[in-house]
Amino acid sequence: MRVLAGLRLLLWELWLPVALVVVWWFVSASSTSPYFPPLSRIWEAFVENWFGPSFRVDVVPSMTNLALGLAFALVVGVGAGLLLALFPLAGEIAEPFLQFFRAIPALAVLPALFILFGTGSTGNVAAIAFGAVWPILLNTLDGIRSIHPSVRLVARSYRIRPYLLVTNVLLPGAMPQITVGIRTSLAIGVVIMVGSEMYVSTAGIGHFVVVAQQTFALADMWSGILLLGVIGYALNVGYGVIERWLLRWQPRSTSGSK
Amino acid sequence: MNATPAVQLRDLGVTYGGATGREVLRGIDLSIAPNEIVCIVGHSGIGKSTLIRCIAGLQRPTTGEVLIGGTAITAPPATLALVSQDYGRTLMPWLRVGENVRLPLRGVGLARAVQDERVAEALSVVGLVEAARSYPWQLSGGMQQRVAIARALAYRPQVLLMDEPFASVDAQTRAELEDLLLTLQRDLGITVVLVTHDVDESVYLSDRVVVVGGRPALVREIVEVPISGVRDQLTTKADPAFIACRTQVLSSIQASKDSGSAVGG
């Protein structure tokens, strides 16, 4: 019964996108505009590129950089957020600076980061990490601060050991907000990944799209844009699963929003 | 009573906001014997929770000291467990019931098997064995408060401190929890200090009732409850001795209210 209901929901969600793609396919079939090639041509390019050599040359480095950058952002963001929450005075002093750095568009910092870290993948990773760290850090800090005082009081009165306090009280207590921060960081990370590749890299999906555009290989360009859309969507869906697992202790009605 | 008191308050006073601030408690002297069950009653907002936090070692009194088992404390002592009113916020929502009970037992050198045993035992005492794998939000308010009590019991305290523990549960559950507390206190031989604003509850549960009142709050009167043997909700509450005590406590609270402003300063 539940499988059937799930299937019905899936169909209900899928019919519109599927219909739009079909319309696109047939409407564009006779297109002679060089800017909007027929979907069939884009699809051919898509298969040729992304199931071909470009996968290894462009997709693998892009995704590796994204994964590394986000991993750095996660470790540094949660770690620093935790420390700043544990030492409230430091948190108070640091907060305006953090808000300032968060407010700088990470794309504007790209030139400086590439000077510092070189134009190789280190530069890309640094740029992604720099852009993605702030939402995670600020949400961790805020999440721990907003844990109810009664919870902290109980932990104190039972003399909970510091590492248990961190792993069993503070981080889980802040988790609803940390997951929100990660979701924001994920989106920022993808933008910076593409942006930094367009800016200086010699590989990556962003680089591929720019080169395709500059050489008027517009079907290739569209195939790259399409791939980025698919990747962004897949990351969001995949992260939704992780998020539900991280917040599995919450009543169903309040978890898994958005 | 020549043994070392389980809990002793000496000239305890709390003033918020420095020397010119608001004096909440003044000169509280109280000595509680091992295995005794004592209720502290008074109007709400009188400083009972401040008093509890001082006894729990969560707050330093402005004057005087708190001794637990004969030792002056400056931090939460290991021999004391606290159960507070808002059970909904003192259980960790992200830990299953069993893990909530286990948390204070972790990291203190107890073998996992011993922890398991204590958790199972504490949950069975409060009748919640089958809830061990549930999350707190899946339980009713009364059940959550029983989990908080189980957590305190598994910790094996010598002193159980309770801050309005039954204030936010319904009347029927409240009566059950009161009787559970009496049974546990008798069987385990622990000292219980319970703060409440409910006069009936205080007399029903206590060996002695401490009436606190006025601004700043002082100990107004200590009423002995001369009811021996096992208590129960029906006969005890109809007992003339119970009614006499209740009247005494009530009038003491009334008196403290009337004289409150005169003492204030």
Side-chain angles (χ1 to χ4, degrees):
Chain A
M1 275 308 275
R2 271 185 55 192
V3 176
L4 217 67
L7 216 62
R8 252 181 50 192
L9 192 72
L10 196 69
L11 280 176
W12 193 239
E13 281 180 353
L14 273 180
W15 74 267
L16 184 62
V18 167
L20 285 174
V21 168
V22 169
V23 169
W24 183 9
W25 183 279
F26 286 106
V27 169
S28 68
S30 55
S31 167
T32 52
S33 158
Y35 307 114
F36 300 104
L39 183 55
S40 55
R41 285 271 332 286
I42 297 174
W43 176 244
E44 271 167 35
F46 191 96
V47 172
E48 198 179 309
N49 291 323
W50 308 126
F51 297 102
S54 289
F55 181 82
R56 197 178 49 78
V57 174
D58 292 314
V59 178
V60 171
S62 281
M63 298 319 287
T64 312
N65 291 344
L66 181 64
L68 284 175
L70 287 175
F72 271 116
L74 189 66
V75 171
V76 174
V78 171
L82 180 66
L83 280 176
L84 291 176
L86 287 177
F87 301 99
L89 187 63
E92 295 291 329
I93 294 170
E95 183 132 17
F97 294 95
L98 301 176
Q99 295 288 4
F100 176 77
F101 278 112
R102 198 249 295 256
I104 301 176
L107 288 173
V109 189
L110 280 183
L113 287 174
F114 279 114
I115 292 282
L116 284 173
F117 294 98
T119 54
S121 61
T122 318
N124 289 323
V125 172
I128 293 165
F130 177 84
V133 75
W134 309 111
I136 296 178
L137 198 164
L138 289 165
N139 276 289
T140 304
L141 179 59
D142 203 48
I144 293 176
R145 278 181 183 162
S146 61
I147 292 174
H148 198 277
S150 296
V151 171
R152 306 283 291 265
L153 217 60
V154 165
R156 256 182 75 206
S157 82
Y158 279 112
R159 302 147 58 96
I160 305 295
R161 295 296 176 275
Y163 79 94
L164 287 168
L165 183 71
V166 169
T167 55
N168 279 269
V169 181
L170 300 182
L171 289 183
M175 198 53 82
Q177 249 181 285
I178 296 177
T179 53
V180 170
I182 295 175
R183 188 173 279 279
T184 310
S185 292
L186 203 60
I188 293 176
V190 173
V191 169
I192 310 241
M193 173 192 85
V194 177
S196 68
E197 287 166 355
M198 287 179 165
Y199 183 61
V200 282
S201 291
T202 52
I205 309 168
H207 175 253
F208 177 94
V209 170
V210 165
V211 169
Q213 182 247 348
Q214 285 163 353
T215 56
F216 280 94
L218 294 188
D220 286 338
M221 180 192 80
W222 285 114
S223 82
I225 294 169
L226 211 57
L227 177 71
L228 287 170
V230 170
I231 287 173
Y233 186 78
L235 283 175
N236 229 355
V237 171
Y239 179 64
V241 174
I242 296 174
E243 190 180 51
R244 266 199 299 284
W245 180 79
L246 285 171
L247 300 178
R248 61 195 175 282
W249 49 270
Q250 285 191 335
R252 264 285 167 263
S253 56
T254 60
S255 76
S257 54
K258 272 179 280 179
Chain B
M1 267 199 265
N2 44 20
T4 312
V7 178
Q8 193 168 17
L9 311 181
R10 281 191 193 147
D11 188 34
L12 185 108
V14 173
T15 303
Y16 287 117
T20 56
R22 191 165 57 91
E23 190 177 15
V24 178
L25 298 172
R26 181 191 288 175
I28 307 272
D29 274 302
L30 184 63
S31 187
I32 298 167
N35 297 343
E36 200 177 9
I37 173 162
V38 168
C39 283
I40 300 171
V41 287
H43 285 293
S44 7
I46 207 76
K48 299 192 300 279
S49 289
T50 302
L51 183 58
I52 274 279
R53 278 201 300 274
C54 287
I55 302 175
L58 292 167
Q59 182 178 339
R60 296 286 289 274
T62 316
T63 65
E65 58 184 354
V66 176
L67 290 84
I68 303 291
T71 316
I73 58 162
T74 54
T79 53
L80 181 146
L82 172 66
V83 175
S84 51
Q85 174 182 354
D86 44 356
Y87 50 81
R89 299 204 186 92
T90 68
L91 297 177
M92 314 291 161
W94 45 87
L95 293 180
R96 293 174 195 274
V97 164
E99 290 308 307
N100 261 293
V101 176
R102 183 197 303 276
L103 187 59
L105 309 179
R106 292 176 59 184
V108 294
L110 286 176
R112 185 84 186 174
V114 178
Q115 295 176 17
D116 284 340
E117 208 174 291
R118 284 218 205 163
V119 170
E121 186 190 80
L123 285 176
S124 90
V125 163
V126 300
L128 281 177
V129 176
E130 70 288 351
R133 303 229 4 107
S134 305
Y135 285 106
W137 62 267
Q138 294 171 308
L139 308 182
S140 68
M143 287 164 93
Q144 288 182 37
Q145 191 57 303
R146 277 192 278 163
V147 175
I149 293 170
R151 177 171 62 183
L153 294 178
Y155 192 64
R156 302 258 169 101
Q158 282 156 28
V159 178
L160 181 59
L161 205 54
M162 306 181 99
D163 183 9
E164 306 253 1
F166 313 131
S168 27
V169 295
D170 59 273
Q172 184 56 39
T173 310
R174 183 186 190 122
E176 280 168 18
L177 290 175
E178 285 170 1
D179 289 335
L180 174 69
L181 177 66
L182 284 176
T183 312
L184 292 174
Q185 195 270 338
R186 208 172 48 233
D187 294 351
L188 303 175
I190 45 180
T191 311
V192 176
V193 182
L194 189 146
V195 166
T196 179
H197 62 261
D198 185 313
V199 174
D200 278 32
E201 180 171 272
S202 71
V203 175
Y204 181 67
L205 291 174
S206 303
D207 296 321
R208 288 188 295 160
V209 178
V210 178
V211 179
V212 173
R215 286 185 198 283
L218 322 168
V219 173
R220 291 288 163 174
E221 190 174 7
I222 299 181
V223 179
E224 300 264 352
V225 182
I227 303 171
S228 55
V230 176
R231 301 179 185 187
D232 79 86
Q233 297 282 349
L234 290 178
T235 56
T236 305
K237 286 186 176 172
D239 190 325
F242 176 91
I243 292 164
C245 281
R246 196 181 66 172
T247 309
Q248 196 181 346
V249 171
L250 263 175
S251 58
S252 183
I253 292 177
Q254 289 295 338
S256 81
K257 192 179 191 182
D258 297 339
S259 65
S261 50
V263 177

